[in-house]
Amino acid sequence: MTVLASKPEPGAAPPPVEVESRRAAAARKWVWTAIIIAVWVVLWRIFHGDATLTLGQRDHTPLHQDLTGFRDSVLASRDTNPFVSLTYSIGERLTSFADWLSRMISTKDFPRPYPQIGWLGVVAIATWIGYAVANLRIAVLVLVSFLAFGAFGYWEDSIDLLIVTMLAVLIAVLIGLPLAVYYGTGGKVGVGILTTLMDIAQTMPTFVYLGPIVLFFGIGTSAGVVCTLVYALPPIIRIAGHGLRRVSPTTIEATDSSGQTSWQRLTKVQLPMARATIVVGLNQTIMAALSMATLAAFVASPGLGKPVLRALQSNDVGGATVPGLLIVLMAIMLDRTTTAASLRAEKASRGGHDPKWRRIILAVTAVVALALVYVSRTYSWAAGYDNFLAQLKSSAGIDLTSLGRNTANLVDDVFNWISSTFDGITEAIKNIISYGLLNPLQDLLSESPWFVTGLAIVAMASLLGSIRGFVSAVVGCALLWYFDLWHDAMITLNMVLVATLLVMILALVFGVWMARSRTVDFILRPLLDAGQTIPPFVYLIPVLALFDATRFTAIIAATVYAAPVAIKLVADGISGVSATTLEASRSTGATTWQEITKVQLPMAKSSLVLATNQGLLYVLSMVVIGGMVGAGALGYDAVLGFARSEEWGKGAAAGITIVVLGVMIDRICRAAAADPNDQSSRLQLEWVKARARFQGSRSTV
């Protein structure tokens, strides 16, 4: 009798022979990795400091000078080059429209000493919109948020940030939704190019956008809107396109049988059924735009990023904390509003209708909001928030005029106490990591001859990712060498690797803990969600207070920024291990430690690889921001090139080098995950699915 081999249950443990084969392959890789590192260390000791391609901070190569010359030629051709003239014209129109909005609701509209609609009218309209699109709870959240913007002394900056963010989101929706429809309904021509461009946009550190965008769109609001648009566009294309692809083929076939046209299929079936996913894409686009609009302060874009940047440059922790917290509050407000609006829209699509009393309340409150708009145009206390605070102090004795500064002073006092109390501990942590790991690894990477380091990287990439890893490493190292910043690139790579190691330690500890305890997951997951909402600038504030301006500050800030996404990926991967597999391991008497190390972690390997990949890319995105607080290397080069026109070429080369590092590392990680000698087809499929699920929410969740 012939016995047919049954197909293993998804998530079930692989057969013993396959397990032994994988273990043997992994052991061989560890041995070869050790040999490569040993040879590398020997060559480093012999040729220490030779051919390292070190370049002084203010030194330039012919390539850097050529890039600076390119910038000068673009600026000189503003009136003669049709493309440059077009981009500047677009930038001027964006600036004009944003300025008009600003004069309407945030800044004075000369000769009127106040905006056309004062703060009271703006608050009333925003609160009414919150209730109209969502519910009473959201209306209260919007009300509290807008009042906080003014009470803490940042009304104008907050509204300007909101203008830049929403303008970029509006353009992203107008461009992104048609592309998402094409991307998600079977479009073939150019889809590969579109996917590659989105990968580059999401891999590239956000700061790197600023240089070329300023070159073609000028400085100020226009540059802020455009760079925010570039960063915010991929999420809505990916997520909305994914929602359209998920519409059941059976449903489409059933409706097609009635003779509908492709337009009717799109508008009557696909878009309504993908509405919830499209709104999630919109939510992610708003969060990404808000995060980037803060960084746009570097190009003189208005908003809360400007006071944060000023405070960080003067090491004013309290002064940076207050606007930083307002950014977080704005992110929470927008996130909760779009989420609640999507739920309400979904309920309406299922036949739900507003009760009569709600329609009456909307009509009455709309009249009240319009009346408050009139009041805000008539009375000075309702037009300018400063006047309102002064009026409140004189009439009711409530002094809120110094609330922002008092809060900043309180934050300074708290951090000074923490710094003085735990100075020994923080210094010990910094010294242990610096002298035990950071310095030795940096010496090995940057003080070995460049070709030795390059060959070592290529060899290990080939070992991990076979031919695709080899090609990625060769192309990446060649480009790093070509842009003449090899030494700085190795120093940056060292900091990125150390930060990624710290991220994965946190991810393994807390991810496994969350997966094995519902209570821990219930407590930590909202904190991780909030951590992914906070713009990267804000992470620098407490770390800067604890560790001062050093490269270690940049590493810790990058670790804290990247940890939430890695922790969630590890937790989700561990949670996805089959319960049958766990029961089988427990029946053999496996201890908790054995169950984690021998079953759960190996079975969740694709999630661990993806967590490492995403954590590393998040860390890399903090490189330039870290350059502001003593990180040096490529981050410093990029910031200096942005600040000084004569350094533009070197800064541009640094930005491109950061992108090359990110793409090279990303491709090597993907090649390692897809290596047929180490991963089964199931793990490869899990990698692809996990990456697809996660791609749209890279900035925030």
Side-chain angles (χ1 to χ4, degrees), residues 320-368:
T321 300
V322 176
L325 291 177
L326 292 178
I327 293 171
V328 175
L329 178 61
M330 185 180 295
I332 293 172
M333 177 189 73
L334 293 175
D335 175 67
R336 298 297 184 269
T337 301
T338 53
T339 301
S342 69
L343 293 175
R344 184 165 190 81
E346 184 177 356
K347 179 181 178 182
S349 67
R350 294 175 179 174
H353 299 285
D354 284 344
K356 183 178 180 180
W357 60 266
R358 188 175 190 276
R359 295 196 295 271
I360 294 174
I361 292 176
L362 279 174
V364 172
T365 52
V367 173
V368 174

Side-chain angles (χ1 to χ4, degrees), residues 466-552:
S466 190
I467 185 63
R468 284 192 287 174
F470 170 79
V471 172
S472 300
V474 168
V475 174
C477 288
L479 289 174
L480 294 179
W481 171 84
Y482 176 76
F483 285 103
D484 294 328
L485 289 171
W486 179 273
H487 188 263
D488 284 354
M490 292 303 103
I491 295 175
T492 297
L493 179 60
N494 169 61
M495 291 187 290
V496 169
L497 292 176
V498 171
T500 304
L501 175 62
L502 298 177
V503 167
M504 288 310 298
I505 291 174
L506 294 175
L508 288 173
V509 172
F510 289 101
V512 171
W513 195 12
M514 288 173 62
R516 296 181 62 87
S517 171
R518 290 187 178 182
T519 302
V520 174
D521 185 270
F522 177 79
I523 294 172
L524 290 185
R525 194 166 290 272
L527 298 178
L528 298 177
D529 289 343
Q532 288 186 279
T533 304
I534 300 173
F537 251 140
V538 180
Y539 285 98
L540 284 178
I541 299 171
V543 180
L544 187 63
L546 293 175
F547 296 99
D548 297 323
T550 65
R551 62 176 178 170
F552 190 75

Side-chain angles (χ1 to χ4, degrees), residues 333-645:
M333 177 189 73
L334 293 175
D335 175 67
R336 298 297 184 269
T337 301
T338 53
T339 301
S342 69
L343 293 175
R344 184 165 190 81
E346 184 177 356
K347 179 181 178 182
S349 67
R350 294 175 179 174
H353 299 285
D354 284 344
K356 183 178 180 180
W357 60 266
R358 188 175 190 276
R359 295 196 295 271
I360 294 174
I361 292 176
L362 279 174
V364 172
T365 52
V367 173
V368 174
L370 291 175
L372 293 179
V373 169
Y374 172 78
V375 171
S376 73
R377 288 180 50 83
T378 307
Y379 300 98
S380 61
W381 64 267
Y385 216 107
D386 291 341
N387 292 339
F388 169 71
L389 295 180
Q391 183 73 23
L392 189 65
K393 180 180 179 181
S394 61
S395 60
I398 301 174
D399 185 9
L400 297 178
T401 56
S402 57
L403 179 62
R405 189 62 257 174
N406 290 339
T407 303
N409 291 336
L410 176 62
V411 171
D412 282 332
D413 292 340
V414 170
F415 275 104
N416 288 336
W417 177 81
I418 293 175
S419 179
S420 60
T421 303
F422 301 100
D423 182 63
I425 297 175
T426 56
E427 188 68 21
I429 294 173
K430 180 168 68 175
N431 290 338
I432 290 172
I433 296 178
S434 296
Y435 293 108
L437 180 60
L438 191 58
N439 292 347
L441 184 56
Q442 176 174 312
D443 206 34
L444 180 64
L445 282 167
S446 63
E447 296 305 318
S448 298
W450 71 270
F451 50 85
V452 171
T453 302
L455 287 173
I457 292 174
V458 169
M460 285 191 285
S462 303
L463 188 64
L464 293 172
S466 190
I467 185 63
R468 284 192 287 174
F470 170 79
V471 172
S472 300
V474 168
V475 174
C477 288
L479 289 174
L480 294 179
W481 171 84
Y482 176 76
F483 285 103
D484 294 328
L485 289 171
W486 179 273
H487 188 263
D488 284 354
M490 292 303 103
I491 295 175
T492 297
L493 179 60
N494 169 61
M495 291 187 290
V496 169
L497 292 176
V498 171
T500 304
L501 175 62
L502 298 177
V503 167
M504 288 310 298
I505 291 174
L506 294 175
L508 288 173
V509 172
F510 289 101
V512 171
W513 195 12
M514 288 173 62
R516 296 181 62 87
S517 171
R518 290 187 178 182
T519 302
V520 174
D521 185 270
F522 177 79
I523 294 172
L524 290 185
R525 194 166 290 272
L527 298 178
L528 298 177
D529 289 343
Q532 288 186 279
T533 304
I534 300 173
F537 251 140
V538 180
Y539 285 98
L540 284 178
I541 299 171
V543 180
L544 187 63
L546 293 175
F547 296 99
D548 297 323
T550 65
R551 62 176 178 170
F552 190 75
T553 299
I555 290 173
I556 296 300
T559 301
V560 176
Y561 177 60
V565 57
I567 292 172
K568 290 173 70 174
L569 282 170
V570 171
D572 292 342
I574 298 294
S575 299
V577 175
S578 169
T580 305
T581 304
L582 293 179
E583 290 174 4
S585 68
R586 289 166 186 163
S587 67
T588 64
T591 64
T592 300
W593 177 253
Q594 289 173 329
E595 184 177 300
I596 293 172
T597 58
K598 302 297 184 181
V599 180
Q600 289 181 304
L601 291 179
M603 295 292 293
K605 187 173 183 179
S606 62
S607 294
L608 299 183
V609 175
L610 181 59
T612 304
N613 170 272
Q614 295 296 306
L616 200 150
L617 292 177
Y618 268 66
V619 166
L620 194 65
S621 70
M622 289 285 286
V623 164
V624 180
I625 298 175
M628 299 170 51
V629 292
L634 293 177
Y636 176 82
D637 295 335
V639 173
L640 185 64
F642 195 79
R644 296 177 178 270
S645 59

